[in-house]
Amino acid sequence: MGAGREPDGSPRSDEEWERFLSESVAGAADAPKEPSARARDVAKRLRAEPGRGLEGWRSYTPAQPKRRTGWYVVGLLASLVLLVVALAPGRIVDLFAGADSPPLAAETARPDQAPPAEAAQRPTMDEPFRGSPAASWASGAAGITVPKAGAVGWMSAAEVERALARSRDFLVASGLDRGVLRGERPVKAIALINPHQKDVQDLLKTAFRTPSEKNDPLLLFSRFQPSRTHLVGDVVKTRGRLSYRESERGALQVTADVTFVYPVTRVEAGDDEIVRTIVRRELVLNWDDPDKVITKPGTFSIVSYKYDMTNGGCGAPTGYFTPPFGTDRRADEAGTEVDPYDRSVPVGRGEFSGDECGKATRS
């Protein structure tokens, strides 16, 4: 029988009654539910607390546990340090000693005193400048300071800048070029010298064939005999500067004062004795006005040249530096004492004399 009636009072069929019950149950699932008294009380208390609310419950994320890896890294580094100390304690001492000795600032004027003394340390194949002031000097051309250019005589500031750069190029080509240091002819350096300067051209014609006190390639170029001497490493330490002024007939006159430190050893296999040949050169160069002096554009004339040298050999000129090793070194140390790193005094000996030989107080 039917269990309900239509609004007009007529009885419902069984099918209509079952459909009514099904729709009522389905709709009840989506119907809002009245909160309980306890839920209403909790919500009221949360709203009353400052900075708190129901939203805080939904946005909360549990903190992730921290991984304790720091101590493992520290332990590993400590183990590596102990291993290095055990295998090479000297290197560790050198590392920390070097930390207190930053590279020297560029030299812009003659210093007023010699560099301070260093701890007595023998040079090694890996550290050929160890135990000398040169350890904190710049390498190669970086150790030659070039001043800011300004207009001089017949040259504009830009032309002076180019002349200064080429003057330093000559120092590089004559004292740092690896081929020249091994005894090759200094072609690049010679190309910068005025070909119309007769006295210098005469020197260049004879110096490499028959070196003598008057015509010795060492007056201008640094050379070692490859069959006897081997340069240690790829670095030559330098310290010095260029300066300039206006000279006669409006010429730009450039003066170079640079010290070169060459670490060398004998060619014989197994010989690890290192000698540092130290050469300080002073060159005065004129960049002449081609309207007033016969010259080739892009070249200079040499006004004067002189150098001081220690640990480069004594006796008759050979055209090469001949560093003394072993017992020969004691024979070379019979001359006047000189500190080859002291740049506070002028270059002292003038043009090289084979009969004179300085004893380095430190090398």
Side-chain angles (χ1 to χ4, degrees):
M1 273 186 79
R5 293 178 179 276
E6 296 292 341
D8 61 357
S10 61
R12 290 178 178 172
S13 66
D14 290 340
E15 292 79 11
E16 291 174 337
W17 181 248
E18 288 177 5
R19 185 170 64 253
F20 170 78
L21 291 177
S22 298
E23 291 173 355
S24 299
V25 171
D30 297 328
K33 296 180 182 180
E34 180 69 13
S36 66
R38 176 176 176 79
R40 290 195 299 272
D41 184 62
V42 171
K44 182 179 180 181
R45 283 190 287 105
L46 288 172
R47 286 193 295 269
E49 296 181 20
R52 293 288 301 273
L54 295 176
E55 289 301 315
W57 290 6
R58 290 194 291 270
S59 61
Y60 174 75
T61 303
Q64 297 294 324
K66 295 181 179 179
R67 297 182 178 180
R68 299 184 177 181
T69 59
W71 289 109
Y72 296 105
V73 175
V74 172
L76 177 60
L77 291 175
S79 300
L80 291 174
V81 170
L82 290 174
L83 178 62
V84 173
V85 171
L87 295 177
R91 284 299 186 87
I92 296 296
V93 172
D94 292 345
L95 176 64
F96 285 97
D100 295 330
S101 303
L104 291 179
E107 183 180 286
T108 57
R110 178 176 291 173
D112 56 8
Q113 59 184 356
E118 307 77 26
Q121 293 178 307
R122 291 179 60 85
T124 67
M125 298 299 286
D126 291 331
E127 297 177 273
F129 303 100
R130 185 182 183 212
S132 77
S136 60
W137 290 8
S139 302
I144 306 172
T145 306
V146 178
K148 183 178 180 179
V152 171
W154 68 282
M155 284 187 166
S156 66
E159 290 170 328
V160 170
E161 184 176 18
R162 285 194 295 271
L164 290 171
R166 288 175 178 170
S167 298
R168 185 168 72 166
D169 288 345
F170 178 80
L171 295 170
V172 172
S174 62
L176 295 173
D177 183 276
R178 303 300 291 187
V180 174
L181 294 179
R182 290 191 295 264
E184 296 177 9
R185 187 176 179 83
V187 177
K188 292 180 181 179
I190 292 174
L192 290 169
I193 302 173
N194 180 9
H196 301 287
Q197 189 177 6
K198 187 177 183 307
D199 56 342
V200 175
Q201 292 303 320
D202 288 344
L203 181 155
L204 296 174
K205 287 177 183 177
T206 60
F208 297 99
R209 295 196 307 267
T210 55
S212 63
E213 290 185 12
K214 182 180 180 181
N215 296 319
D216 189 343
L218 297 183
L219 292 170
L220 294 171
F221 314 106
S222 294
R223 309 169 75 231
F224 294 89
Q225 196 166 14
S227 61
R228 181 180 184 274
T229 307
H230 176 73
L231 287 160
V232 178
D234 298 322
V235 173
V236 173
K237 292 287 189 174
T238 58
R239 188 157 181 81
R241 65 195 183 279
L242 302 183
S243 58
Y244 67 93
R245 68 181 185 89
E246 183 177 349
S247 184
E248 296 178 0
R249 295 182 290 275
L252 169 71
Q253 186 168 100
V254 179
T255 299
D257 181 355
V258 181
T259 300
F260 301 83
V261 183
Y262 305 101
V264 294
T265 188
R266 278 184 285 203
V267 170
E268 285 82 354
D271 191 338
D272 60 355
E273 181 186 2
I274 295 174
V275 171
R276 287 185 286 247
T277 298
I278 305 159
V279 183
R280 181 181 174 190
R281 295 188 181 277
E282 182 183 287
L283 292 169
V284 181
L285 317 173
N286 264 12
W287 292 87
D288 293 303
D289 182 349
D291 291 336
K292 299 177 180 179
V293 175
I294 299 175
T295 185
K296 179 182 177 182
T299 66
F300 55 76
S301 298
I302 299 178
V303 178
S304 65
Y305 47 83
K306 53 186 176 181
Y307 76 100
D308 285 339
M309 175 268 295
T310 54
N311 291 335
C314 297
T318 64
Y320 302 99
F321 291 128
T322 55
F325 297 96
T327 56
D328 294 338
R329 194 166 185 177
R330 287 193 290 272
D332 262 16
E333 291 179 346
T336 303
E337 287 192 350
V338 58
D339 181 354
Y341 298 101
D342 185 1
R343 295 184 44 79
S344 66
V345 296
V347 179
R349 248 179 287 146
E351 295 186 0
F352 176 76
S353 170
D355 296 331
E356 297 178 358
C357 196
K359 174 184 177 182
T361 57
R362 53 178 172 174
S363 59

